Amino acid sequence: MSEFNKREEGFEKKFALDEEQKFKAEARRNRLLGLWAAEKLGITGDAAAAYAKEVVAADFEEAGDNDVLRKVAADFAAKNVTITELAIRAKMNELIAVAVAEVNAGK
């Protein structure tokens, strides 16, 4: 029974680590998306970093990515930046790969 318990504990630790890595990668992706969107909106410097933090915070409104997508799309619409939701989603998909690689590399 002891071996079973050790194995179960190992799976639980692996699951917890995987979830933590996923959370970090999604937060990093959202920050990168915020910086990309800030550039498109003409926001630079400290204001761009602050905007990126707003995008990260938007992800806590609901489960999934739709809250982040809606925020960026609404901000683009408010500033008459013509980038579609499909293009934003494509950028999110591109950036998640970058974010996962950075998190896995310990950055």
Side-chain angles (χ1 to χ4, degrees):
M1 206 55 176
S2 178
E3 284 298 315
F4 178 75
N5 289 341
K6 286 180 185 178
R7 190 170 182 188
E8 182 179 20
E9 185 178 313
F11 284 128
E12 288 173 359
K13 286 181 181 179
K14 171 87 169 91
F15 177 78
L17 179 63
D18 289 348
E19 288 299 305
E20 180 182 348
Q21 297 292 83
K22 180 181 173 192
F23 174 80
K24 286 179 180 180
E26 288 176 355
R28 185 172 303 239
R29 186 258 340 253
N30 292 340
R31 183 179 61 79
L32 293 170
L33 181 70
L35 292 172
W36 171 79
E39 180 184 329
K40 301 297 183 191
L41 293 166
I43 303 169
T44 60
D46 290 341
Y51 180 77
K53 287 181 182 178
E54 289 177 26
V55 173
V56 171
D59 195 26
F60 298 113
E61 293 176 14
E62 66 184 47
D65 296 333
N66 289 333
D67 43 4
V68 173
L69 179 67
R70 273 195 310 275
K71 184 207 179 353
V72 173
D75 292 346
F76 282 166
K79 296 283 186 171
N80 294 318
V81 175
T82 54
I83 297 178
T84 65
E85 285 189 11
L86 187 62
I88 297 167
R89 178 69 67 190
K91 190 66 174 181
M92 290 172 76
N93 290 336
E94 173 188 326
L95 292 174
I96 194 66
V98 172
V100 166
E102 288 180 1
V103 168
N104 289 341
K107 293 182 180 180

